[in-house]
Amino acid sequence: MNKSTNFLITSETGVLKSVIVHTPGAEIEKVTPRNRKRMLFDDTLYFKDAKEREDASNALYPDVFDEHQEFVKVLESADVEVLQVKNLLAETLMQASVEIRDNFLDRICELDGTAPFYRQRLEMLYHESPSQLAAILISGELKDVNASFVAHTGEGPFDLSPIPNMMFVRDTAAVVGDVLLLGSMSHKARARETLLMEFIFNFHPDFISVRVPVVNIGKGLLFESTGSSLDHSFPHILFESSSLHLTGTGIKIAGSDVPDGEFALLSDEGDVTLDASNVHTTVRNTLVLECGNIIVLSRDLILIGHGHRANASAIDRLAEELLSHRKLVKKIIIVSMIEDKDNHLDTFFSVLENELCLVHGSVIEPCGAKIAVSTMELLDGKIEIKDHLSLREALAYSGFNPEFAYLAGLDPTLPMAEDAAYKRIIQEREWSTQAVNVLVLAPGKVLSFKRNKDTIAHLENKGYERVTARDFCSNPKHWQGKKIVIVVDDAELSRAHGGPRSLVLPLRREPAK
Amino acid sequence: MTAQIIDRTDIKKITLNVTSEIGRLRQVGIHYPGDELKYMTPSNKDALLFDDILLADYAQKEHEEFQQMMEVLMIHTYQVVDLLGKVLTDPPSDLMEQVIKIQENTEKKMGNKWVPAYRTCIQHEFDNKLMKDATMWATKLITGICANAEDATALKFRQRDDPFLLTPIPNILFMRDPAAVVGNNVIVGKMTKPARQREAYLLHLIFNYILAKESAASRTNKLFDFFDEKPENELDDGGLENMNVEGGDILVINSETLAIGCSERTTPEFVQEAISRMFHSATWKNIKTIIAILMPKQRSTMHLDTIFTMINKNECLVYAPMILARGREQVTAIRYTVDSEGKLNIYQEADVVTAVENAMRGYLHNRAYTLTAYPCGGEDPIHQEREQWNDGANVLALAPGVIVGYNRNLKTFSVLHERANYKIVDASEIIQNHGLSQKIIEAMDNGSGEKFAIRIPGYELSRARGGPRCMTMPFQRDEVHWEEGLAS
């Protein structure tokens, strides 16, 4: 982490400088046909274990790890700083005080309902190797089938469940302006992801030193430092996750940049006395916001998807925070997904360059049954909501008048062709393989899954050049000033139904020109 | 080597003879996946029995590698669309009538509306021009037809989950299921899922055509074909309606023994009928033993060949929890045998492997015979489950001890390599390396004793929940010399 700069995201397209990713590991191997639905996977992914990876004869067939490595290589070739969740987690574990670490591990165990002995195992792992502990907090751990009857019968094979969706790190958090929003997941299978990110953002030495303001969406009330011995300029630390609500604890913060000290947590019940023994939790999950639903259009304007993965209470809370409290943005456009509630907005809408967006045709024109569009803005110090005819209109109302490129090239403004039914099939297929969910490295530099051929062909018609990841990495400078779609192999990545944008959490982009 | 699809359309050259799961493969029916894959979407994939959507050209590339590898190993591959094209040069007069009837039936069973206008629309699409081109006609019968935005069904095409006038049949990729060759005879499937019914009808046409073109001294018969079976009276069809059978559930253990899975796709009523015909029907007279395997009705183990395949004379690959004794989800195996006096004996067997061993001992006149089972996915239950799901147990034997599986089932390959001394080779290597292919042909033809486990890529194909055995319908295998090389 480059310590001299803060987090800053004021557009979707400014030159990407620093990101967090998670290269999938052993957690992938623990998804089975039986547990895949619970793990939110449609299918199992091909993954080689360490021994198989070493075996040269297996090199012919890349697995999901290899594909992700190629993806990361593209980012690095574009001079993006790539931080791995696993490393950040290990570094945070090493730096955190005993109390903070204890509390963190306790919460992981409580969230997962692990057996008491397993808490000790985590402690032991920490002393052996913090980086191994970090890996296991993501990959989970299997029970011994010969020692545990519940594992023997196949009913509960895990001591600690894996979190295979960690690779979609986009959903766990988002930077808006210079503020970090911690998401709150809709499914329990993903709850630990935000817990890990929260721990990292609050206690990683590099992040403490840049004093990131953290807003935790899962939290009903915003915490403000209350004049404890804690440094005042280190605000808004909350210990909370989507499904577990910690109502009180005593925490000491140790670290080079933050003096040891105590601070209070506000809960829904009010102030809680600091007392390490007074730790109790209640299950709660009223605010849901997965950050794939947040699109930062400009310094003043954000777009939020509303559905199962971002509920209305969370959007109210976010509006209050960003519009009223922090005056961070001037307007929020909300797209309610009526038909496909269980998706993120970034599967329907993305920005490719200053004046060009890539969209699913059906979300941009008058809404019909598919979506509803509203805006929230501050008028005379009060939030006001306005409904709109279409997303196009709402964007124009907010001073944003881009051109559009369309998913599978299906332009809704053109008259229906004879083969419209077939075109719509292609559109639905590429939508599900994340053709819209592209990652923008710089204006007009787009990273896409290779299989979305019709959408890529449409972009080629719009002046983009298709470049393979290998060609790009071999000479990244060659493409300077050109509009390109860099295509990455996706045989396994695409099975998990998250696209390039979902795989990356941007921390910093250069301000767009 | 450049991609090349070898055109084999000479039906007269087809020989039907399959008396084992492992005899050296000579002729095999396959389906090169086509545009029907492009019609699959997240909203219709479940109705079309797919878990995920496949990218057609990636799947085609993988399938081509599989097919080319077989051709290099001197196995003749026949494309179903070519065979169908032949049939359509001289089609039965009621063909389209039947196709439309099946479509109507399918739509109704899937809970979709059916109006007479659709019939007219299908007839309109299959106009004289299209039907003059047999290849095009055959292709469209498989890819299906999307409703046209401009015709009378304009509203139908707006339906996201079902914009089809004629539903695509992407599952025909799994050629194993709509029919099976048993000995010199044929079973035409009666598919459980409405989405697959047209497949069986097309195979019914193909086999009728093959049978009609055979020389006068034709030896081939139908063991079962729902499209031929005529109930004796209208009210009581003798349970015919319930006799579902798919080829993935039929394993030809030897020339006298079948193992049949009672699964999600094959009903006990069919197995009952097969046992009864074993006695009473002249065409079934070669079959002396049927092992009925009672499986749970679930998608992950939809056919018997997803949990059990023969890979060598005395080796099999299994999903251990279901097949092996003391398995957590062990299935029941019952062996029905006609003895030399014509009496039926029924044995409740300890497990599937024991049942096959007993049947083999009977077949080999009480010679010693043991069958070694290798667990797909190794010993770890998690990997057993993962690799079974990706068809780790659904391998195709090209000859005794020469098998084909998906590359992604690494743990299964490692079991075969470490415990059973299989040499692991990639299909691409066989295609490129003449020395290697000759060595494998030598092992296949002359039984050099060397064993090979061949990997084919399955990034796309495996998404469709079917492995190399599912994708092939053997027409002809050499006889197995069982006595040679068996441990006694």
Side-chain angles (χ1 to χ4, degrees):
Chain A
M1 180 79 197
N2 184 341
K3 292 181 188 185
S4 63
T5 43
N6 289 329
F7 293 178
L8 186 67
I9 300 288
T10 53
S11 75
E12 288 288 309
T13 58
V15 176
L16 193 57
K17 290 310 226 181
S18 179
V19 302
I20 298 179
V21 301
H22 172 62
T23 298
E27 66 274 10
I28 296 300
E29 282 194 295
K30 298 190 178 77
V31 180
T32 68
R34 222 182 315 191
N35 69 26
R36 75 197 149 103
K37 294 284 180 200
R38 190 156 41 87
M39 304 270 187
L40 313 176
F41 275 69
D42 282 342
D43 206 340
T44 59
L45 272 57
Y46 171 41
F47 186 81
K48 305 173 201 167
D49 66 25
K51 189 173 143 232
E52 288 156 355
R53 199 171 299 288
E54 265 176 37
D55 185 345
S57 75
N58 291 331
L60 179 63
Y61 300 116
D63 67 353
V64 66
F65 174 90
D66 298 324
E67 285 179 359
H68 196 276
Q69 292 282 91
E70 185 194 39
F71 181 79
V72 167
K73 208 173 144 205
V74 172
L75 295 177
E76 287 172 345
S77 301
D79 288 330
V80 180
E81 176 190 43
V82 180
L83 306 169
Q84 289 279 356
V85 173
K86 212 186 301 185
N87 299 342
L88 293 171
L89 186 55
E91 288 154 14
T92 314
L93 282 165
M94 277 186 271
Q95 292 290 330
S97 71
V98 180
E99 286 86 349
I100 289 168
R101 191 179 73 232
D102 275 353
N103 185 289
F104 171 63
L105 295 177
D106 284 346
R107 290 177 66 204
I108 286 192
C109 289
E110 284 190 60
L111 184 62
D112 214 48
T114 58
F117 82 88
Y118 193 75
R119 175 66 182 81
Q120 292 164 20
R121 155 112 179 120
L122 292 181
E123 195 61 34
M124 202 189 73
L125 273 168
Y126 169 77
H127 290 292
E128 275 176 16
S129 153
S131 56
Q132 202 196 338
L133 173 60
I136 282 177
L137 290 179
I138 296 169
S139 71
E141 245 187 330
L142 287 167
K143 284 192 167 86
D144 178 351
V145 284
N146 295 317
S148 153
F149 193 65
V150 68
H152 197 75
T153 54
E155 288 162 31
F158 303 115
D159 270 333
L160 183 70
S161 56
I163 45 170
N165 291 286
M166 189 73 240
M167 66 170 143
F168 301 121
V169 63
R170 168 76 63 168
D171 295 328
T172 63
V175 176
V176 176
D178 57 0
V179 169
L180 184 98
L181 304 170
L182 272 175
S184 170
M185 305 307 231
S186 67
H187 291 89
K188 195 179 174 209
R190 302 196 66 178
R192 198 190 311 144
E193 297 173 39
T194 39
L195 203 59
L196 302 185
M197 297 306 277
E198 182 189 334
F199 179 64
I200 290 169
F201 282 120
N202 283 334
F203 299 114
H204 190 282
D206 289 351
F207 296 156
I208 287 178
S209 70
V210 297
R211 304 192 190 291
V212 187
V214 178
V215 175
N216 192 327
I217 288 306
K219 179 72 180 170
L221 289 167
L222 182 70
F223 168 74
E224 296 286 0
S225 182
T226 52
S228 69
S229 56
L230 180 72
D231 183 351
H232 274 259
S233 58
F234 179 42
H236 315 316
I237 290 181
L238 296 167
F239 237 139
E240 222 275 339
S241 83
S242 57
S243 32
L244 282 184
H245 176 99
L246 201 63
T247 52
T249 183
I251 296 173
K252 281 196 162 116
I253 297 177
S256 52
D257 295 286
V258 181
D260 284 6
E262 289 180 332
F263 65 98
L265 288 173
L266 276 179
S267 76
D268 290 352
E269 289 83 39
D271 270 319
V272 175
T273 319
L274 297 176
D275 178 6
S277 65
N278 182 25
V279 176
H280 64 282
T281 57
T282 50
V283 175
R284 199 179 70 121
N285 197 10
T286 52
L287 298 172
V288 174
L289 179 66
E290 297 186 3
C291 297
N293 275 308
I294 299 178
I295 292 169
V296 181
L297 290 177
S298 73
R299 212 173 266 281
D300 299 328
L301 179 65
I302 64 169
L303 194 58
I304 297 181
H306 164 223
H308 290 327
R309 308 290 190 111
N311 65 9
S313 334
I315 290 169
D316 266 346
R317 159 114 174 81
L318 194 68
E320 187 191 310
E321 186 66 45
L322 299 184
L323 289 172
S324 319
H325 181 78
R326 290 177 188 275
K327 310 227 175 346
L328 196 63
V329 299
K330 297 211 168 78
K331 267 198 197 71
I332 299 175
I333 302 175
I334 301 148
V335 178
S336 295
M337 292 166 276
I338 310 290
E339 211 172 271
D340 300 286
K341 282 194 171 65
D342 206 33
N343 288 285
H344 295 126
L345 184 60
D346 62 3
T347 64
F348 294 103
F349 186 100
S350 61
V351 188
L352 305 183
E353 48 190 286
N354 292 345
E355 297 293 320
L356 184 66
C357 295
L358 174 61
V359 297
H360 187 306
S362 67
V363 300
I364 198 71
E365 288 308 310
C367 308
K370 188 105 177 160
I371 58 159
V373 182
S374 317
T375 46
M376 285 174 108
E377 61 195 305
L378 209 57
L379 289 174
D380 303 328
K382 199 174 144 285
I383 287 177
E384 203 163 292
I385 301 176
K386 190 171 183 297
D387 290 332
H388 295 268
L389 253 175
S390 69
L391 182 52
R392 195 190 287 270
E393 190 219 273
L395 289 169
Y397 173 78
S398 312
F400 194 64
N401 293 295
E403 296 281 306
F404 292 100
Y406 295 100
L407 170 61
L410 200 58
D411 182 345
T413 59
L414 297 177
M416 208 172 282
E418 195 180 290
D419 61 349
Y422 179 64
K423 280 280 171 54
R424 199 142 21 187
I425 282 172
I426 302 292
Q427 181 191 40
E428 200 194 340
R429 283 169 62 91
E430 297 204 349
W431 171 69
S432 88
T433 52
Q434 309 296 327
V436 175
N437 192 275
V438 294
L439 180 73
V440 179
L441 302 176
K445 290 219 166 26
V446 180
L447 198 49
S448 170
F449 280 166
K450 194 183 265 176
R451 67 181 51 218
N452 296 309
K453 297 184 173 176
D454 284 34
T455 304
I456 292 167
H458 176 66
L459 291 179
E460 286 182 283
N461 288 337
K462 296 247 167 199
Y464 278 74
E465 187 177 342
R466 181 183 180 280
V467 180
T468 63
R470 185 190 298 186
D471 285 351
F472 178 76
C473 292
S474 69
N475 188 8
K477 298 275 178 290
H478 176 73
W479 314 99
Q480 245 160 20
K482 288 179 186 156
K483 292 211 239 176
I484 53 171
V485 194
I486 306 161
V487 293
V488 291
D489 283 332
D490 55 7
E492 295 303 315
L493 282 174
S494 70
R495 287 190 186 222
H497 296 294
R501 188 179 191 271
S502 303
L503 291 169
V504 170
L505 167 56
L507 299 179
R508 191 156 39 87
R509 286 182 185 274
E510 278 179 7
K513 287 180 189 85
Chain B
M1 190 163 165
T2 53
Q4 179 194 2
I5 302 300
I6 293 151
D7 176 39
R8 293 189 186 279
T9 53
D10 190 352
I11 281 186
K12 280 197 197 98
K13 292 222 170 93
I14 292 181
T15 306
L16 301 180
N17 190 32
V18 175
T19 55
S20 73
E21 286 293 307
I22 54 170
R24 202 265 197 248
L25 191 59
R26 296 288 175 187
Q27 296 183 349
V28 66
I30 54 175
H31 173 64
Y32 180 73
D35 282 354
E36 66 277 7
L37 290 183
K38 296 185 180 165
Y39 285 156
M40 254 186 306
T41 66
S43 36
N44 69 30
K45 71 179 165 56
D46 291 337
L48 295 176
L49 312 177
F50 277 62
D51 284 339
D52 204 346
I53 59 177
L54 275 67
L55 201 65
D57 43 0
Y58 290 11
Q60 285 167 347
K61 232 173 120 191
E62 293 178 353
H63 196 272
E64 230 168 76
E65 190 170 327
F66 179 38
Q67 186 252 4
Q68 265 184 42
M69 178 270 293
M70 289 198 286
E71 286 284 350
V72 165
L73 297 178
M74 311 293 286
I75 296 162
H76 296 180
T77 57
Y78 290 88
Q79 301 287 349
V80 68
V81 73
D82 293 340
L83 301 182
L84 189 59
K86 280 276 169 186
V87 174
L88 295 177
T89 55
D90 180 18
S93 57
D94 68 338
L95 191 148
M96 283 317 291
E97 193 54 39
Q98 287 291 341
V99 166
I100 291 169
K101 205 173 103 189
I102 291 168
Q103 178 66 19
E104 179 178 350
N105 190 15
T106 301
E107 294 272 17
K108 283 177 179 165
K109 280 198 179 156
M110 285 176 159
N112 297 330
K113 299 280 183 293
W114 176 267
V115 295
Y118 294 161
R119 163 182 298 268
T120 326
C121 291
I122 296 172
Q123 276 162 350
H124 175 75
E125 290 289 337
F126 282 88
D127 57 12
N128 290 332
K129 189 167 146 254
L130 175 79
M131 286 164 65
K132 276 206 183 74
D133 182 343
T135 309
M136 189 55 124
W137 190 5
T139 305
K140 290 273 182 196
L141 283 175
I142 291 169
T143 60
I145 289 177
C146 253
N148 187 319
E150 288 174 347
D151 72 24
T153 54
L155 268 178
K156 183 174 171 66
F157 96 103
R158 286 192 161 268
Q159 282 176 238
R160 200 161 86 159
D161 51 348
D162 180 36
F164 306 109
L165 279 175
L166 192 66
T167 316
I169 46 170
N171 289 284
I172 200 163
L173 168 64
F174 303 120
M175 271 299 292
R176 176 68 62 165
D177 298 322
V181 178
V182 175
N184 301 124
N185 302 318
V186 176
I187 291 175
V188 173
K190 178 170 182 295
M191 315 307 273
T192 295
K193 302 285 182 185
R196 302 198 67 175
Q197 277 177 0
R198 197 185 326 127
E199 294 175 47
Y201 178 64
L202 300 182
L203 267 296
H204 157 84
L205 295 177
I206 290 171
F207 277 112
N208 277 356
Y209 189 82
I210 294 176
L211 266 52
K213 299 285 170 193
E214 274 194 348
S215 57
S218 163
R219 299 163 304 152
T220 305
N221 286 294
K222 298 257 191 74
L223 291 176
F224 183 84
D225 182 346
F226 178 75
F227 298 97
D228 291 340
E229 307 267 340
K230 297 282 178 284
E232 282 173 18
N233 69 64
E234 291 279 304
L235 294 173
D236 178 12
D237 68 0
L240 198 55
E241 192 54 49
N242 296 321
M243 284 177 210
N244 297 333
V245 53
E246 299 188 8
D249 278 312
I250 299 174
L251 267 64
V252 183
I253 303 294
N254 57 46
S255 61
E256 295 177 357
T257 308
L258 299 182
I260 308 180
C262 288
S263 64
E264 189 193 62
R265 304 291 175 86
T266 297
T267 53
E269 285 79 5
F270 172 79
V271 183
Q272 196 61 50
E273 179 72 9
I275 291 163
S276 153
R277 288 187 191 198
M278 182 163 77
F279 282 105
H280 301 118
S281 155
T283 50
W284 284 72
K285 66 180 187 312
N286 288 335
I287 306 298
K288 302 210 161 51
T289 299
I290 289 177
I291 303 168
I293 296 166
L294 309 181
M295 299 163 57
K297 296 186 194 323
Q298 62 189 24
R299 175 163 175 76
S300 58
T301 59
M302 69 184 94
H303 295 123
L304 177 58
D305 67 1
T306 63
I307 58 171
F308 180 89
T309 43
M310 294 293 291
I311 57 174
N312 202 347
K313 282 189 263 191
N314 51 5
E315 293 172 334
C316 59
L317 195 54
V318 304
Y319 178 53
M322 286 192 175
I323 296 297
L324 298 187
R326 295 191 293 276
R328 269 277 149 201
E329 309 156 62
Q330 208 197 331
V331 297
T332 303
I334 304 169
R335 182 167 53 100
Y336 297 82
T337 298
V338 188
D339 65 19
S340 51
E341 278 115 56
K343 188 168 147 290
L344 180 69
N345 297 299
I346 305 173
Y347 303 93
Q348 163 93 45
E349 300 281 14
D351 58 81
V352 175
V353 175
T354 310
V356 173
E357 281 179 340
N358 287 337
M360 280 303 301
R361 284 176 197 137
Y363 174 69
L364 297 171
H365 307 292
N366 295 321
R367 268 198 57 174
Y369 176 90
T370 50
L371 180 64
T372 308
Y374 296 102
C376 116
E379 296 300 334
D380 183 342
I382 297 266
H383 289 295
Q384 288 176 346
E385 213 186 299
R386 274 172 62 86
E387 300 209 346
Q388 187 278 332
W389 175 249
N390 282 309
D391 291 289
N394 189 269
V395 296
L396 174 72
L398 303 181
V402 180
I403 59 165
V404 187
Y406 282 141
N407 71 294
R408 61 197 301 116
N409 296 309
L410 289 169
K411 306 275 188 297
T412 302
F413 279 104
S414 140
V415 164
L416 290 172
H417 177 63
E418 282 160 22
R419 293 200 218 161
N421 204 24
Y422 278 75
K423 194 169 171 348
I424 296 169
V425 292
D426 291 308
S428 53
E429 213 182 331
I430 294 173
I431 295 168
Q432 286 156 14
N433 182 339
H434 183 69
L436 178 64
S437 63
Q438 290 312 303
K439 211 165 112 188
I440 297 175
I441 289 172
E442 168 70 14
M444 290 167 74
D445 289 347
N446 303 323
S448 68
E450 249 192 306
K451 298 194 274 190
F452 294 93
I454 301 166
R455 299 192 290 200
I456 57 167
Y459 290 101
E460 294 299 311
L461 293 174
S462 73
R463 296 184 188 218
R465 297 278 86 73
R469 188 183 190 274
C470 289
M471 288 190 292
T472 47
M473 179 169 59
F475 290 144
Q476 188 193 11
R477 286 183 183 275
D478 288 355
E479 300 290 336
V480 176
H481 304 293
W482 289 101
E483 285 79 6
E484 285 171 20
L486 274 187
S488 53

